[in-house]
């Protein structure tokens, strides 16, 4: 990780804690690794992200409905889904640093480094040849580039084979052959690679002999598959249709060092879309485009998102990609879009002995639908917004602003924890009373914050730090002509308006519905 980006992540983590967004879990006992609590501002941001997703997926698509399935499920669910046998990650330790890694991630990182080397060659050549540079030709003919490409293809093939065949010796050999060093100790002193199942288990039942081993769900999707017929029948759903769900998932991740990017308890927002076999590619392309639009409507910058196609498809998938976001650690997976064929429903049919089929009235035939799923991590959405909106700026002191540095979270207004801060300029002369009246009126429609302590400049700073997009300031003129100033967070521009127009003016700017209209 480049130093600047490393610093940005550190700053975001400490800001998130200082301003009540994210706390380490059970911090008074020194925390619990890769588990976090959301604070008073974090929970609001999180709820707003959920609302944005839920409304888009269900309200805006009349063939998608939601459910809320239990976290505990019958243990056979996880046999059928393949998680008991195959939800493993290959793990490896460096004997010098005593650090543990995911072996496949070490290889992927080494491949990324080789890809970056190709980019560097291109940059160098572009500078050398200027206008006449033909990138396509260069990539096809330059010996050094061809050498890297060959190495990359070989490494990708070997990784794919090792993963598909669960061949941990081959995985170790690949790490040796690629001469991968531990980023911490710098040595190649590795242990063997071992498979590690990521599911947490516990026991259900009061008497030890009766107790059944059950799992904390590692994904929300299976709650949807097992309810496919319940929802289809009771909702009289016609294919194609979708079932959406937001809920907790649990994974005993091997490496959990990147704040809320990789947690052991996290939340997913998933939708399974059931289609007629043979039409899944159309649905896959449709949802790729839709989900990308949903992300981009937030305004965090289109260049910060990209698709990444999966080269190593799971055995049941016939297409899969990620939407990656430019996190402080670089481009990483934010959402997965997978065409899962009829694997899950067929497997549940087999294990439960129940038919999970759709009767198509038009063709008079029953079939097991194919599934396209979209799966986005709520916590990763949260991190994408927080890290992208964290800004340090120099401010000239004027109009009540304090000069110097400010930290501002330019969170999309529709998702900000508070929409409006109501601030009397001073705590005297009847201004707090007037401001309180305005606060009570506005709080019916908006999440509002009232504060009358400290200078106005300091209060603006505190609102900037939690991302409040609008401050409504009540001053002596307000008492004479019923006007207030509205200060906008990012530009710090102020506008004087009639009190009665404040609500209407701000409503459009902070509404999730307005965001949805853009998609
Ligand atoms: P990764 O390769 O990063 O481990 P994955 O491919 O296993 O992720 P999926 O199983 O496709 O992830 O899960 C869907 C989404 O759930 C991911 O895109 C991500 O946003 C989120 N997610 C998965 N694992 C975690 C985790 N440990 N912490 C936070 N979010 C997660």
């Amino acid at each position: 990780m480049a130093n600047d980006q490393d610093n940005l992540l550190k700053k975001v983590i400490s800001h998130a804690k200082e301003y009540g967004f994210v706390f380490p879990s059970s911090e008074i006992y020194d925390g619990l690794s890769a588990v976090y609590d959301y604070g008073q501002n974090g929970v609001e941001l999180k709820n707003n992200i959920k609302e944005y997703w839920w409304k888009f997926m269900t309200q805006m698509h009349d063939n998608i409905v939601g459910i809320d399935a239990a976290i505990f499920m019958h243990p056979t669910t996880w046999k059928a889904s393949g998680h008991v046998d195959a939800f493993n990650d290959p793990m490896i330790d460096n004997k010098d640093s005593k650090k543990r890694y995911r072996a496949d991630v070490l290889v992927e990182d080494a491949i990324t480094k080789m890809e970056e080397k190709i980019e560097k060659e291109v940059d160098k050549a572009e500078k050398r040849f200027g206008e006449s540079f033909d990138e396509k030709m260069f990539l096809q003919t330059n010996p050094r580039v061809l050498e890297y490409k060959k190495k990359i293809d070989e490494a990708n093939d070997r990784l794919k084979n090792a993963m598909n065949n669960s061949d941990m010796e081959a995985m170790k050999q690949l790490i040796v052959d690629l001469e991968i060093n531990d980023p911490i100790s710098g040595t190649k002193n590795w242990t063997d690679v071992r498979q590690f199942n990521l599911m947490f288990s516990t026991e259900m039942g009061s008497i030890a002999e009766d107790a059944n081993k059950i799992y904390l769900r590692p994904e929300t999707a299976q709650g949807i598959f097992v309810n496919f017929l319940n929802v289809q029948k009771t909702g009289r759903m016609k294919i194609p249709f979708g079932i959406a769900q937001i809920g907790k998932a649990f994974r005993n991740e091997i490496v959990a060092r990147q704040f809320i990017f990789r947690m052991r308890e996290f939340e997913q927002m998933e939708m399974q879309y059931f289609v007629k076999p043979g039409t899944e590619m159309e649905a896959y392309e449709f949802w790729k485009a839709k989900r990308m639009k949903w992300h981009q409507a937030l305004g965090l910058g289109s260049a910060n998102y990209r698709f990444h196609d999966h080269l190593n498809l799971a055995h049941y998938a016939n297409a899969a990609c990620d939407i990656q976001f430019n996190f402080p650690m670089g481009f990483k997976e934010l959402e997965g879009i997978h065409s899962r064929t009829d694997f899950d429903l067929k497997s549940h049919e087999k294990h439960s002995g129940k038919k999970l089929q759709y009767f198509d009235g038009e063709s008079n035939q029953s079939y097991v639908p194919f599934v396209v799923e979209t799966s986005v991590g709520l916590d990763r959405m949260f991190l994408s917004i927080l890290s992208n909106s964290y800004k340090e700026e120099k401010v000239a002191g004027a109009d009540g602003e304090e000069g110097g540095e400010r930290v501002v979270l330019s969170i999309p207004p529709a998702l900000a924890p508070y929409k409006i801060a109501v601030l009397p300029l001073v705590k005297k002369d009847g201004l707090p009373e007037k401001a309180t009246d305005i606060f009570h009126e506005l709080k019916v429609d908006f999440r509002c914050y009232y504060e009358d302590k400290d200078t106005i400049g300091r209060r603006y700073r505190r609102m900037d730090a939690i991302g409040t997009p609008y401050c409504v300031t009540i001053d002596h003129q307000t008492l004479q002509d019923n006007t207030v100033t509205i200060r906008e967070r990012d530009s710090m521009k102020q506008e004087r308006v009639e009190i009665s127009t404040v609500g209407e003016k701000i409503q459009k700017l902070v509404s999730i519905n307005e965001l949805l209209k853009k998609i």
Side-chain angles (χ1 to χ4, degrees):
M1 205 188 312
N3 246 350
D4 284 0
Q5 289 172 318
D6 201 3
N7 279 340
L8 173 62
L9 185 61
K10 282 194 187 132
K11 282 178 180 169
V12 168
I13 295 172
S14 75
H15 190 87
K17 183 168 172 228
E18 190 178 344
Y19 287 93
F21 283 87
V22 183
F23 305 124
S25 155
S26 26
E27 197 192 3
I28 57 167
Y29 297 105
D30 295 333
L32 183 65
S33 166
V35 185
Y36 290 89
D37 296 338
Y38 286 84
Q40 68 279 13
N41 290 320
V43 70
E44 298 291 338
L45 172 55
K46 207 175 170 197
N47 283 340
N48 292 338
I49 299 171
K50 284 193 215 177
E51 186 183 339
Y52 177 48
W53 186 86
W54 189 259
K55 278 193 165 169
F56 175 68
M57 298 306 275
T58 63
Q59 192 169 319
M60 304 297 281
H61 294 94
D62 48 15
N63 63 346
I64 300 181
V65 290
I67 62 164
D68 183 16
I71 287 172
F72 291 142
M73 299 183 73
H74 192 285
T76 311
T77 309
W78 304 110
K79 192 79 192 150
S81 67
H83 284 81
V84 172
D85 297 319
F87 194 51
N88 300 321
D89 275 344
M91 125 181 129
I92 189 168
D93 294 348
N94 181 273
K95 291 183 199 162
D96 298 318
S97 69
K98 307 268 183 288
K99 286 278 175 205
R100 178 158 289 174
Y101 299 90
R102 257 174 67 180
D104 56 328
V105 172
L106 285 179
V107 172
E108 278 168 6
D109 287 349
I111 292 173
T112 307
K113 273 193 196 137
M114 290 191 265
E115 284 166 349
E116 284 166 4
K117 282 188 181 153
I118 295 183
E119 280 166 29
K120 272 195 192 131
E121 292 293 332
V122 171
D123 286 349
K124 263 199 303 194
E126 201 169 10
K127 277 193 195 117
R128 197 161 2 114
F129 296 115
E131 292 266 299
S132 64
F133 180 62
D134 180 344
E135 185 174 331
K136 210 167 152 201
M137 174 78 95
F138 179 79
L139 286 172
Q140 281 167 359
T141 54
N142 180 276
R144 220 173 285 160
V145 169
L146 293 178
E147 181 73 16
Y148 286 134
K149 272 195 183 164
K150 192 165 153 242
K151 271 192 167 173
I152 291 171
D153 289 345
E154 267 172 26
N156 269 323
D157 277 349
R158 289 177 64 184
L159 176 63
K160 188 174 162 184
N161 286 335
M163 291 296 279
N164 285 349
N165 304 327
S166 269
D167 185 345
M168 295 302 105
E169 269 175 40
M171 184 67 95
K172 169 78 188 277
Q173 196 55 47
L174 182 53
I175 288 174
V176 172
D177 292 347
L178 289 173
E179 300 183 350
I180 296 176
N181 291 324
D182 173 18
I184 293 172
S185 67
T187 71
K188 300 185 183 75
N189 196 5
W190 299 107
T191 61
D192 286 341
V193 182
R194 283 157 296 158
Q195 287 282 31
F196 177 76
N197 193 289
L198 301 185
M199 278 200 294
F200 284 101
S201 64
T202 183
E203 281 175 358
M204 185 176 259
S206 50
I207 308 167
E209 302 87 72
D210 288 351
N212 251 331
K213 183 173 180 182
I214 57 164
Y215 298 98
L216 297 187
R217 66 179 179 200
E219 62 176 27
T220 56
Q222 300 304 324
I224 290 179
F225 290 126
V226 299
N227 277 299
F228 158 71
L229 264 196
N230 281 341
V231 175
Q232 191 272 318
K233 291 226 157 98
T234 56
R236 296 163 63 233
M237 308 302 288
K238 296 262 175 303
I239 272 184
F241 75 91
I243 304 178
Q245 177 170 218
I246 300 176
K248 291 261 183 174
F250 305 83
R251 295 184 188 178
N252 199 0
E253 297 279 2
I254 295 174
V255 180
R257 293 189 203 117
Q258 287 165 339
F259 191 39
I260 55 173
F261 180 82
R262 192 173 297 287
M263 300 156 91
R264 297 205 162 102
E265 171 179 343
F266 58 100
E267 237 169 311
Q268 290 184 317
M269 305 191 285
E270 294 200 299
M271 191 275 298
Q272 268 67 37
Y273 199 64
F274 299 91
V275 304
K276 192 171 178 179
T279 63
E280 71 276 10
M281 278 308 149
E282 207 181 300
Y284 175 71
E285 292 303 331
F286 173 84
W287 280 108
K288 264 179 81 172
K290 276 251 164 164
R291 294 299 307 144
M292 187 55 110
K293 272 192 161 179
W294 179 87
H295 285 289
Q296 296 197 341
L298 286 176
L300 306 186
S302 312
N304 286 319
Y305 299 90
R306 69 182 188 198
F307 286 113
H308 173 76
D309 288 323
H310 285 201
L311 295 172
N312 304 329
L313 287 181
H315 60 279
Y316 52 82
N318 60 4
C321 71
D322 299 333
I323 294 179
Q324 294 185 331
F325 182 77
N326 191 8
F327 286 100
M329 312 79 80
F331 274 96
K332 299 261 179 212
E333 172 175 348
L334 173 61
E335 170 155 7
I337 300 168
H338 313 127
S339 174
R340 298 178 67 113
T341 67
D342 55 4
F343 169 80
D344 303 88
L345 289 179
K346 275 226 168 113
S347 186
H348 284 304
E349 274 199 328
K350 200 172 115 205
H351 283 82
S352 67
K354 308 269 166 30
K355 272 201 162 186
L356 296 177
Q357 303 194 355
Y358 174 77
F359 177 71
D360 184 344
E362 269 171 35
S363 64
N364 228 4
Q365 277 179 338
S366 290
Y367 59 81
V368 178
F370 272 38
V371 171
V372 171
E373 79 174 357
T374 70
S375 175
V376 57
L378 176 53
D379 313 272
R380 287 193 191 174
M381 273 305 294
F382 189 101
L383 182 59
S384 72
I385 291 162
L386 207 62
S387 60
N388 182 276
S389 64
Y390 179 93
K391 290 181 182 109
E392 293 171 357
E393 292 177 351
K394 291 241 178 314
V395 182
D399 288 337
E401 301 287 346
E402 292 206 328
E405 282 239 324
R406 75 162 178 165
V407 171
V408 57
L409 292 184
S410 57
I411 299 173
L415 303 185
Y418 288 95
K419 308 302 182 203
I420 302 176
V422 180
L423 313 171
L425 184 64
V426 288
K427 201 180 169 182
K428 57 181 182 188
D429 306 335
L431 298 187
E433 290 75 10
K434 182 77 180 166
T436 306
D437 288 346
I438 294 173
F439 169 71
H440 286 311
E441 213 161 284
L442 288 172
K443 79 176 184 194
V444 181
D445 294 313
F446 304 95
R447 182 132 181 82
C448 291
Y449 195 97
Y450 176 88
E451 202 179 21
D452 56 18
K453 283 173 212 75
D454 266 342
T455 65
I456 191 73
R458 272 196 214 140
R459 281 179 276 159
Y460 285 155
R461 282 300 155 274
R462 282 202 286 272
M463 288 302 111
D464 290 342
I466 61 168
T468 307
Y470 297 100
C471 291
V472 169
T473 308
I474 287 83
D475 56 16
H476 292 95
Q477 195 180 327
T478 311
L479 300 181
Q480 285 154 19
D481 64 6
N482 264 334
T483 61
V484 292
T485 59
I486 300 179
R487 170 201 183 260
E488 199 271 330
R489 176 194 66 199
D490 299 339
S491 64
M492 291 182 284
K493 285 214 173 96
Q494 297 187 14
E495 187 192 358
R496 187 165 275 281
V497 303
E498 279 275 331
I499 291 177
S500 59
T501 65
V502 170
E504 202 186 329
K505 252 185 189 311
I506 295 182
Q507 185 61 52
K508 277 210 149 171
L509 301 165
V510 300
S511 129
I512 285 184
N513 297 353
E514 290 300 318
L515 213 54
L516 292 171
K517 283 185 198 162
K518 282 202 230 160
I519 307 175

